[in-house]
Amino acid sequence: MKLSESEENYIKCIYHLHVPGQGVSATLLAASVQTKAASVTEMLKRLSRKKLINYKPYHNFTLTELGNKIALEVIRKHRLWEYFLVEKLGFDWHEVHTIAEELEHISSKELIHRLEAFLGSPSFDPHGDPIPDRFGKMKTVRQTCLSEIPEKKLVTVNAITDQSATMHELLKHYGIHIGTKIKVNRHFSFDGSVEIKINKQPLITLSRKAAQYIFCTI
Amino acid sequence: MKLSESEENYIKCIYHLHVPGQGVSATLLAASVQTKAASVTEMLKRLSRKKLINYKPYHNFTLTELGNKIALEVIRKHRLWEYFLVEKLGFDWHEVHTIAEELEHISSKELIHRLEAFLGSPSFDPHGDPIPDRFGKMKTVRQTCLSEIPEKKLVTVNAITDQSATMHELLKHYGIHIGTKIKVNRHFSFDGSVEIKINKQPLITLSRKAAQYIFCTI
DNA sequence: AAAAAAATTTAGGTAAAGCTAAAAAATAAA
DNA sequence: TTTATTTTTTAGCTTTACCTAAATTTTTTT
Ligand SMILES: [Mn+2]
Ligand SMILES: [Mn+2]
Ligand SMILES: [Mn+2]
Ligand SMILES: [Mn+2]
């Protein structure tokens, strides 16, 4: 089935907004795809007609099996392109998302298949998100947000879930990136800030706001 | 100026159809972009409004300076992507055009700039067509079609202007590709066929139809 | 259980990009 | 230079994907 760029973006957003059990609401989706609720309703009818979502007017909706499969295909393309942009073209990881937002809609299957091989079949994109394989399967890593790691534990950063330039600036300043080994020294419950140590560097204190976007494996 | 995919395709087609002096006709363009003449007229009005073409109803039209610049940008992207697909992803040259037809519309300037560097700033795409640099300048090679090369001359293939799978099959069979050195042995004026020799291989006779798409430098 | 608020859909509109059929203009033939 | 043919444009319609404003349904508060 050949979908439009818009349809693909909606499907992908529904996938990302979905939390097991609840289904997705129209207002949330509207904000997510940057349109108005009325436009979302129209699209929902179309996606429903194409059997990509389960939809009853006035109720939350979910992706069908087919919709889910398509979402994973788009996400796979998005993340492989992001990996390409960072690893091959030398982009910083916070610059690649917007470009991948376009590249993810290039339709050739053969292209993405060869791109994957060219990149060495990576399992994670530059932000640490898992890349679905051609069957839609993703590696699941048990990862915990930095503010929830017990004191004295030594962990490895493996995902950053805020991709803004400002977050990038902060991380760069402290020399934190995917793969960095961090020892959690202390949590301050007053403001949720966390004191950490990287290698032999002096101690660093990160705010709760920053720590909550840094995910690690133990 | 942000143009739609359609607008870019039209502009590029006008560029390719243009022969110095005449300007381009609506019927030719219609065939070229695979639409009907009526649709072309509508687009011409839009492109004219945007100052991309010089257009008077019922007359042939040409690209403006701006239109020309944009055409070259799209062609630059198209050919750089084709080069990428062949050189990095290992596609055969006859498979890449359709994919590049989509990739050429990805908007990021930074992307194409980095892609070019990554590829080593190639001057020619896999079909032998010159790649415009970021100022729109192209290397011009004086090249002659194989059926017009004088007898006994030794030449080098540097462009194939038919990219069909069938042409690819024929060239592969004879071991002809860009860079192949060919000695023109004899022309038969009866049917325009040409007898050639490659290295120490046995003589080959190419039809006029095939020879006319093989361009060489002396 | 009503009333108020919030979420969602419908109604009516716009712009892009296509289509067919008919009208108009330009070009070629007689 | 008329007439015929071809090319181009107009008119009127369609689909996708948006929009605002109004109506409807669901949910939350009193
Ligand atoms: Mn991304
Ligand atoms: Mn996208
Ligand atoms: Mn091409
Ligand atoms: Mn194109």
Side-chain angles (χ1 to χ4, degrees):
Chain A
M1 191 185 341
K2 176 76 189 117
L3 298 181
S4 75
E5 186 159 336
S6 246
E7 290 168 328
E8 287 190 347
N9 281 334
Y10 274 85
I11 291 289
K12 196 183 59 163
C13 269
I14 296 171
Y15 178 95
H16 282 130
L17 290 174
H18 181 260
V19 268
Q22 284 134 90
V24 179
S25 84
T27 353
L28 228 66
L29 182 52
S32 216
V33 295
Q34 320 225 64
T35 46
K36 297 300 156 70
S39 309
V40 166
T41 304
E42 291 225 349
M43 183 59 95
L44 292 179
K45 284 192 277 192
R46 194 148 6 135
L47 296 177
S48 180
R49 188 153 26 82
K50 295 190 178 184
K51 309 259 180 255
L52 299 170
I53 60 171
N54 304 112
Y55 172 60
K56 284 268 143 178
Y58 291 103
H59 290 88
N60 284 5
F61 42 87
T62 53
L63 291 174
T64 60
E65 272 300 310
L66 178 58
N68 208 267
K69 182 175 153 272
I70 288 167
L72 286 166
E73 279 168 16
V74 178
I75 290 166
R76 168 171 156 80
K77 289 192 273 180
H78 182 104
R79 293 184 179 164
L80 281 171
W81 280 116
E82 283 189 344
Y83 189 95
F84 168 75
L85 294 172
V86 169
E87 295 302 321
K88 300 290 181 178
L89 299 194
F91 276 98
D92 269 340
W93 56 261
H94 73 285
E95 304 172 304
V96 298
H97 182 80
T98 349
I99 303 177
E101 207 51 57
E102 287 184 56
L103 283 165
E104 71 189 359
H105 306 289
I106 303 292
S107 58
S108 167
K109 293 250 156 116
E110 178 68 12
L111 168 60
I112 214 64
H113 188 239
R114 282 176 186 260
L115 179 66
E116 180 188 30
F118 176 64
L119 300 175
S121 301
S123 296
F124 297 92
D125 82 7
H127 314 107
D129 296 312
I131 302 176
D133 68 17
R134 81 183 153 302
F135 307 111
K137 273 269 170 302
M138 286 184 267
K139 284 240 163 66
T140 47
V141 204
R142 140 151 340 301
Q143 53 185 19
T144 323
C145 143
L146 196 54
S147 40
E148 279 155 26
I149 303 276
E151 292 181 355
K152 305 298 166 196
K153 265 267 183 320
L154 181 72
V155 295
T156 308
V157 176
N158 78 339
I160 312 284
T161 59
D162 178 306
Q163 298 156 216
S164 63
T166 47
M167 178 60 157
H168 183 251
E169 181 199 22
L170 185 146
L171 293 177
K172 200 170 174 185
H173 176 252
Y174 289 123
I176 299 170
H177 47 79
I178 287 170
T180 303
K181 291 192 192 318
I182 290 179
K183 178 152 167 249
V184 174
N185 211 47
R186 205 166 152 191
H187 291 285
F188 294 101
S189 30
F190 175 65
D191 59 359
S193 63
V194 51
E195 192 180 64
I196 62 170
K197 197 166 165 62
I198 301 172
N199 290 332
K200 264 110 229 233
Q201 289 173 225
L203 286 167
I204 298 167
T205 302
L206 291 177
S207 69
R208 167 150 188 37
K209 169 149 186 184
Q212 96 195 116
Y213 293 116
I214 301 169
F215 284 79
C216 308
T217 41
I218 300 173
Chain B
M1 189 188 339
K2 177 73 190 121
L3 298 181
S4 74
E5 187 160 334
S6 245
E7 289 168 329
E8 287 190 347
N9 282 334
Y10 274 86
I11 292 289
K12 197 184 58 161
C13 270
I14 296 172
Y15 179 95
H16 281 130
L17 290 175
H18 181 260
V19 268
Q22 287 135 88
V24 178
S25 83
T27 351
L28 228 65
L29 182 52
S32 216
V33 295
Q34 321 226 64
T35 46
K36 297 299 155 71
S39 310
V40 166
T41 304
E42 292 225 350
M43 182 59 96
L44 291 179
K45 286 193 275 191
R46 201 162 357 169
L47 296 177
S48 181
R49 187 154 28 80
K50 295 191 177 182
K51 308 261 179 253
L52 298 170
I53 60 170
N54 305 113
Y55 172 61
K56 284 267 144 179
Y58 290 105
H59 290 88
N60 284 4
F61 41 88
T62 54
L63 291 175
T64 60
E65 273 300 309
L66 178 57
N68 208 265
K69 183 174 152 273
I70 288 167
L72 286 166
E73 280 168 15
V74 178
I75 290 167
R76 168 172 157 77
K77 289 192 275 180
H78 182 104
R79 293 183 179 166
L80 281 171
W81 281 117
E82 283 190 342
Y83 189 95
F84 168 76
L85 295 173
V86 169
E87 295 302 320
K88 301 289 181 177
L89 299 195
F91 275 98
D92 269 339
W93 58 261
H94 74 286
E95 303 172 304
V96 299
H97 182 81
T98 348
I99 304 177
E101 206 51 55
E102 286 184 56
L103 284 165
E104 71 189 358
H105 306 290
I106 303 291
S107 58
S108 168
K109 294 247 156 124
E110 179 67 12
L111 168 60
I112 213 67
H113 188 238
R114 282 177 187 259
L115 179 66
E116 180 189 29
F118 176 64
L119 301 176
S121 301
S123 296
F124 297 93
D125 82 8
H127 314 108
D129 297 311
I131 302 175
D133 67 18
R134 82 183 152 301
F135 307 111
K137 273 268 172 301
M138 285 185 268
K139 285 238 164 66
T140 47
V141 205
R142 196 166 0 58
Q143 53 184 19
T144 322
C145 142
L146 196 55
S147 38
E148 279 153 26
I149 304 276
E151 292 182 354
K152 305 297 167 197
K153 266 264 183 319
L154 182 72
V155 295
T156 309
V157 175
N158 78 338
I160 311 285
T161 58
D162 178 305
Q163 299 155 215
S164 63
T166 47
M167 178 60 157
H168 182 251
E169 181 199 21
L170 184 147
L171 293 176
K172 201 170 172 187
H173 177 251
Y174 289 123
I176 298 171
H177 48 78
I178 287 170
T180 304
K181 291 191 193 318
I182 290 179
K183 175 146 169 256
V184 174
N185 211 48
R186 203 163 156 195
H187 291 285
F188 295 99
S189 28
F190 174 66
D191 58 1
S193 63
V194 50
E195 192 180 62
I196 62 171
K197 198 167 167 61
I198 302 171
N199 289 329
K200 264 113 225 139
Q201 290 174 223
L203 286 167
I204 298 166
T205 302
L206 291 177
S207 70
R208 164 145 190 46
K209 168 149 185 183
Q212 97 195 115
Y213 294 117
I214 302 169
F215 284 79
C216 307
T217 42
I218 300 172

